[in-house]
């Protein structure tokens, strides 16, 4: 009987396995996995164990994979043991922080999932305006922990997204125009590479690796923790405006002109969605960080345009202001994205046409990248001003998602002539041909660094960069 489970649990899972609901571990790895389990400080949930059904799941219900085991790592030694084990038994490795990957790479069939959610500490160092952050922490708890010390940082807006995937791919949040991407604010990192070495990466040490992990995704090793810059942001001004489809074209033209002279203190976003109404509605949201009197002046220039159906404006403290509510886990969803340097008249017309055809529970959203996001010195390749978009559609569990998926693909295709690259964290597994484009001008250097730190492409369950030959 495997370690750590009762006879009752064992009989139950054996019965379920016999009924074909879960596949038992292969004979080749069953005994070695039990051995690995004994060596870990954290826990190993092997296929067939109680809790496996939950452990194998990721945020997006579209992915229904059956890894051989999920290792809930308690620390760096656990991660090292898992990498060694997976290499010895030639198992694919999926690295999981918040489990929100759009390509489903943080789970796999018959491989080993290295789950980092147990490595989730947040320790603020007030003297250096930084925090030590475990890469398994999710955005919501991160903001809350930082705020307990009166500071905040540059992460995303969905509280259940993990800091691991978000930061290594870039990290776009409410402070991006003022303080840059999440990856731009990493001061140093601990990385366990394919050969099991624990390396410290910073501007002074393993500088090539340090450059690569900030935008190059999970290609170079498992990043267990980072030192992150934090900021004093006592309050921000948050607002939103909701418009019906009859005003889309005018609002988009106004918005484009407004952005030309918008201050870096202001981060805006657009979202056309059919979650609450069909046809769609447009929400223009904004967050002003800085002097609130100036913020109100900026906000009023935005808020006086058109005839919004609803509007909000409030001063808020960071945790509440930065995290939207997390959507439910387990809903099947298909997402992709594109970066648009210019909101041209033709693109505006195309967006309006695509949105008019949107199925229920669909979204075409845009993050406005300007200011500090254009200046970072890391592998993140999108350093122009512009709009980073995501195109997504959900469907009910068990329902046919083909129409939703088709709309996402058609919208991506229709807007492709206006796009220049894509934010890597928006890509799905069908986008493999765009992985290279997502790394843009950084690709060749990233492939050289990959060859140095992971020549056998052990970390390939990601928007992959094969090692340069
Ligand atoms: C609902 C939703 C909201 C989102 N909102 C935002 C947003 O506001 N801003 C934004 O920038 N992006 C956003 N994204 C995109 C998000 O950044 C990516 O999906 C990201 O990959 C999620 O990270 P994760 O840790 O949750 O995912 P995971 O699936 O756990 O990880 C994603 C991938 O990153 C790699 N990885 C993760 N952790 C590590 C690690 N510690 N070491 C090495 N490799 C690792 C692995 O390759 C893994 O497959 C959103 C996505 C969703 C689904």
């Amino acid at each position: 009987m495997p370690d750590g489970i009762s006879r009752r649990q064992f009989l139950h899972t054996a019965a379920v396995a016999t009924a074909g609901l879960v596949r038992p571990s292969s004979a080749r790895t069953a005994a070695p996995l039990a051995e690995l389990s004994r060596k870990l400080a954290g826990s190993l949930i092997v296929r067939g164990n109680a809790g496996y059904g939950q452990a194998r799941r990721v945020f997006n219900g579209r992915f229904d994979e059956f890894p051989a085991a999920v290792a809930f790592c308690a620390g760096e030694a656990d991660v090292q043991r898992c990498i060694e084990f997976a290499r010895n038994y030639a198992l694919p490795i999926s690295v999981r922080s918040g489990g929100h990957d759009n390509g489903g790479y943080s789970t796999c069939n018959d491989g080993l999932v290295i789950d980092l959610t147990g490595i989730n500490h947040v320790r603020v160092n007030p003297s250096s305006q930084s925090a030590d952050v475990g890469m398994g922490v999710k955005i919501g708890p991160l903001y809350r922990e930082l705020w307990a010390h009166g500071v905040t940082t540059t992460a995303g807006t969905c509280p259940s997204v993990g800091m691991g995937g978000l930061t290594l791919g870039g990290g776009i949040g409410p402070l991006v125009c003022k303080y840059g991407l999440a990856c731009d604010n990493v001061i140093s990192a601990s990385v366990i590479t394919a050969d099991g070495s624990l390396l410290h990466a910073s501007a002074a040490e393993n500088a090539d690796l340090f450059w690569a992990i900030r935008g190059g995704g999970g290609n170079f090793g498992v990043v267990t923790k980072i030192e992150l810059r934090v900021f004093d942001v006592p309050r921000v001004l948050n607002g939103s405006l909701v418009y019906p489809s009859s005003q889309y074209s005018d609002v988009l033209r106004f918005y484009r002109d407004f952005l030309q002279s918008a201050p870096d203190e202001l981060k805006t976003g657009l979202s056309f969605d059919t979650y609450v109404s069909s046809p769609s509605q447009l929400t223009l949201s904004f967050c002003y960080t800085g002097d609130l009197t100036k913020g109100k002046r900026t906000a009023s220039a935005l808020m006086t345009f058109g005839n919004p159906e609803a509007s909000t404006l409030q001063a808020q403290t960071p945790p509440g202001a930065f995290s939207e509510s997390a959507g439910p886990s387990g809903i099947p969803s298909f997402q992709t994205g594109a970066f648009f340097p210019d909101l041209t008249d033709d693109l505006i017309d195309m967006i309006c046409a695509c949105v008019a055809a949107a199925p229920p529970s669909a979204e075409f959203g845009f993050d406005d990248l300007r200011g500090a996001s254009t200046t970072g010195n890391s592998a993140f390749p999108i350093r122009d001003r512009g709009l980073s978009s995501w195109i997504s559609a959900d469907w009910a569990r068990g329902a046919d998602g083909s129409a939703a998926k088709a709309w996402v693909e058609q919208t991506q295709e229709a807007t492709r002539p206006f796009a220049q690259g894509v934010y890597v964290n928006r890509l799905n597994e069908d986008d493999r041909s765009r992985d290279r484009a997502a790394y843009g001008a950084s690709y060749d250097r990233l492939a050289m660094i990959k060859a140095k730190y992971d020549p056998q492409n052990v970390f390939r369950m990601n928007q992959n960069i094969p090692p340069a030959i």
Side-chain angles (χ1 to χ4, degrees), residues 59 95-102 105-106 116 135 156-158 160-166 168 170-173 217-218 221-224 335 367 423 425-426 461-462:
F59 179 77
V95 183
R96 189 167 79 188
S97 172
H100 281 56
D101 196 285
N102 292 316
Y105 297 122
S106 51
L116 301 171
M135 282 303 247
T157 47
C158 175
S160 55
V161 164
M163 201 54 186
L166 178 115
L168 302 181
I172 300 171
V222 180
V223 181
T224 50
Q335 181 177 128
D367 276 313
Y423 173 26
N425 278 1
R426 296 297 182 191
M461 298 293 292
N462 45 43

Side-chain angles (χ1 to χ4, degrees), residues 78-164:
D78 280 1
V79 175
Q80 287 171 309
R81 288 196 176 105
C82 287
I83 294 172
E84 183 189 19
F85 180 89
R87 292 199 65 169
N88 286 345
Y89 289 91
L91 299 181
I93 295 176
S94 281
V95 183
R96 189 167 79 188
S97 172
H100 281 56
D101 196 285
N102 292 316
Y105 297 122
S106 51
T107 184
C108 56
N109 278 320
D110 302 321
L112 181 62
V113 175
I114 297 182
D115 182 290
L116 301 171
T117 50
I119 307 176
N120 59 5
H121 59 270
V122 178
R123 291 184 209 107
V124 175
N125 313 312
S127 57
S128 56
Q129 283 282 290
S130 68
D132 296 325
V133 174
M135 282 303 247
V137 73
K138 295 193 167 80
I139 305 305
L142 172 69
Y143 282 142
R144 284 198 298 278
E145 275 300 311
L146 293 179
W147 186 244
H149 299 268
V151 292
T152 192
T153 194
T154 53
T157 47
C158 175
S160 55
V161 164
M163 201 54 186

